Amino acid sequence: MKKKLVLIFLFSLFNLITGYSQKKENLKITILKNGFIFDDKFDLKTGSIIIKGNQIIDLLYTDNFSAYPEATIIDLTGKYVMPGLIDTHVHLTTVPNLNREKSNKYMEDQLSKMIYAGITSVRDMAGNAIVLADYKRASILNQLPAPSIFYAAQFAGPDYFNLTRKYTTEKDTPWERTITDTTNIKMAMAEAKGAGVTGIKLYSDLSARMIRKIVKEAKKQGLQSWSHAAVFPATPTDVAAAKVNSMSHAYDIAYGFSSGKMDHLKKIPAIDSIKMDKLLLLMKANNVILDPTNYLANNNKYFDGMKITKRAHELGVKVATGTDWPYLFEKDNVVPLFKEIKILTDNCGFTNRDVLISATRVGAESIGVADRGVIAIGKRADLYITNSDPVQNIENLKDGFMTIKSGIIYTKE
């Protein structure tokens, strides 16, 4: 009987292995023929991209496709091919509707709007991890039109949560955690990781010492550290010195220009150029990416965020493109990421090439992933294809032809 069970096990294992092998070998191959392909500096070269499954396996600069006789060929003559766009600051589930059906529709409408606008990855900066994990899985399995979803656990001090939960019965969860001096940071981090997060968002009411402790443990457990620029009482300088991976909200950096205790109830101080440069150079030295969220700032009349972002770019700080703005709030139906990008080109000194690198390669780095953000062999087949050249005119981002995420093609009807 034992021998029979062993044989059955080995036979099942053989079928599993060979079935997987056949599945890998039989992955569909698609050739994107004769497009204008942007390289990592957003310079153009005419060529063809070979996609197998969800991966770019070859880049050809000839018309010889004999190595791929069974491939599906899509002619992109006259089209422009760039890496998929990345919004590094979204909130997909911050205020879910109590009606589950309406909540699901709201989520799916957001995700659909993003994918058809060429956005193939998003970083959610604090929300309900149960819902986010569900949609992240659905996106991975390509069960609905949606970008890849990466999300954070929110760590903040008791004053913040006592304020926000004053009229609710909400309690701590692995993805929304009150941090005090007695918190077991190692365990809190492990529980957040168990909830599927990619990074920890340092939010409010945290000391400089606690920020350093969280960042150190996050790194040990393979998680990113994503912080507000001002965490109160920790200053923007404290945050940058802790070597977080990214800092959100350029306008918050101005709080570091005042003297005395950090306090979010204080009026945002005027820009101090000397202090600003010192802080921005520290961010550059520590490879801290700025997530400026200027579209949100402008909507709230925090216009100094643009000046700080411009100076950050001049000094060589990496800048991402995060909106922090609901995708279904726009009455003109223009995608918030396109508006964030336009602010960077119109008001922050970015060339069109600069901003496209921010929206792709720097976006991937902000999330902490190296498998996307550029068009290269071995990278994910996450692509956005436009009818006209966005380097010549950034408004041409709106002239979308096709989005490819994880090798799956999405086109507007």
Side-chain angles (χ1 to χ4, degrees), residues 46-292:
T46 303
S48 299
I49 301 172
I50 317 302
I51 298 170
K52 184 175 183 179
N54 67 353
Q55 192 174 66
I56 297 170
I57 63 166
D58 208 352
L59 296 171
L60 297 178
Y61 299 99
T62 72
D63 287 332
N64 183 2
F65 305 136
S66 59
Y68 308 103
E70 304 299 322
T72 299
I73 298 176
I74 300 174
D75 192 346
L76 294 184
T77 300
K79 309 296 184 186
Y80 295 80
V81 189
M82 72 187 77
L85 301 173
I86 298 174
D87 190 331
T88 55
H89 201 128
V90 302
H91 290 281
L92 297 169
T93 63
T94 302
V95 189
N97 194 298
L98 292 178
N99 180 302
R100 183 62 182 266
E101 186 177 337
K102 289 182 179 179
S103 186
N104 287 349
K105 184 179 186 309
Y106 182 79
M107 170 70 92
E108 289 164 23
D109 285 349
Q110 291 180 87
L111 297 173
S112 179
K113 185 169 184 177
M114 290 170 173
I115 198 73
Y116 288 110
I119 300 168
T120 55
S121 296
V122 295
R123 179 175 67 165
D124 188 285
M125 295 293 271
N128 186 306
I130 295 173
V131 179
L132 289 168
D134 190 25
Y135 278 95
K136 178 177 182 175
R137 178 179 177 276
S139 174
I140 290 170
L141 296 176
N142 299 307
Q143 294 174 333
L144 75 169
S148 298
I149 299 170
F150 301 84
Y151 56 95
Q154 182 182 27
F155 282 14
D159 284 353
Y160 169 76
F161 283 121
N162 288 342
L163 177 66
T164 60
R165 296 171 179 169
K166 190 173 181 180
Y167 302 104
T168 72
T169 58
E170 291 180 1
K171 297 181 180 179
D172 274 3
T173 64
W175 58 89
E176 192 177 83
R177 174 81 65 171
T178 304
I179 303 296
T180 69
D181 287 338
T182 61
T183 301
N184 184 331
I185 298 297
K186 183 177 181 179
M187 182 59 69
M189 198 74 63
E191 290 175 356
K193 190 173 182 179
V197 308
T198 300
I200 303 300
K201 183 174 183 180
L202 300 130
Y203 198 79
S204 181
D205 189 25
L206 296 170
S207 67
R209 183 188 66 81
M210 184 57 71
I211 288 174
R212 291 193 300 271
K213 189 174 180 180
I214 291 169
V215 171
K216 184 178 179 180
E217 186 58 37
K219 189 173 182 180
K220 280 184 181 178
Q221 297 198 29
L223 294 175
Q224 295 269 300
S225 300
W226 305 326
S227 181
H228 271 187
V231 183
F232 310 103
T235 68
T237 298
D238 294 330
V239 174
K243 298 184 179 180
V244 297
N245 297 102
S246 68
M247 290 168 58
S248 294
H249 310 309
Y251 57 87
D252 266 357
I253 285 176
Y255 280 107
F257 306 151
S258 63
S259 57
K261 183 180 177 182
M262 288 283 293
D263 183 353
H264 73 279
L265 297 177
K266 288 182 180 178
K267 182 180 177 182
I268 299 178
I271 290 175
D272 181 317
S273 297
I274 295 174
K275 289 181 179 179
M276 175 173 65
D277 282 6
K278 187 176 180 180
L279 171 57
L280 294 174
L281 288 170
L282 177 62
M283 290 176 65
K284 180 182 177 180
N286 287 346
N287 198 32
V288 178
I289 296 170
L290 176 62
D291 169 34

Side-chain angles (χ1 to χ4, degrees), residues 329-347:
F329 274 26
E330 300 303 286
K331 293 180 181 178
D332 59 9
N333 206 36
V334 176
V335 174
L337 184 61
F338 295 163
K339 295 186 176 184
E340 182 73 26
I341 285 170
K342 196 73 166 60
I343 290 169
L344 293 176
T345 57
D346 287 0
N347 305 105

Side-chain angles (χ1 to χ4, degrees), residues 371-409:
D371 63 348
R372 68 201 72 196
V374 295
I375 297 174
I377 294 171
K379 300 297 185 182
R380 276 173 58 98
D382 283 5
L383 305 166
Y384 182 42
I385 301 158
T386 57
N387 293 306
S388 42
D389 185 353
V391 169
Q392 291 299 313
N393 184 347
I394 204 64
E395 294 283 356
N396 289 337
L397 280 177
K398 300 173 186 175
D399 189 16
F401 172 71
M402 176 186 292
T403 303
I404 300 177
K405 189 218 78 178
S406 191
I408 305 298
I409 295 171

Side-chain angles (χ1 to χ4, degrees), residues 17-28 52:
I17 293 170
T18 54
Y20 178 75
S21 176
Q22 288 170 3
K23 185 178 178 183
K24 294 291 282 186
E25 288 300 318
N26 293 332
L27 289 174
K28 179 183 175 182
K52 184 175 183 179

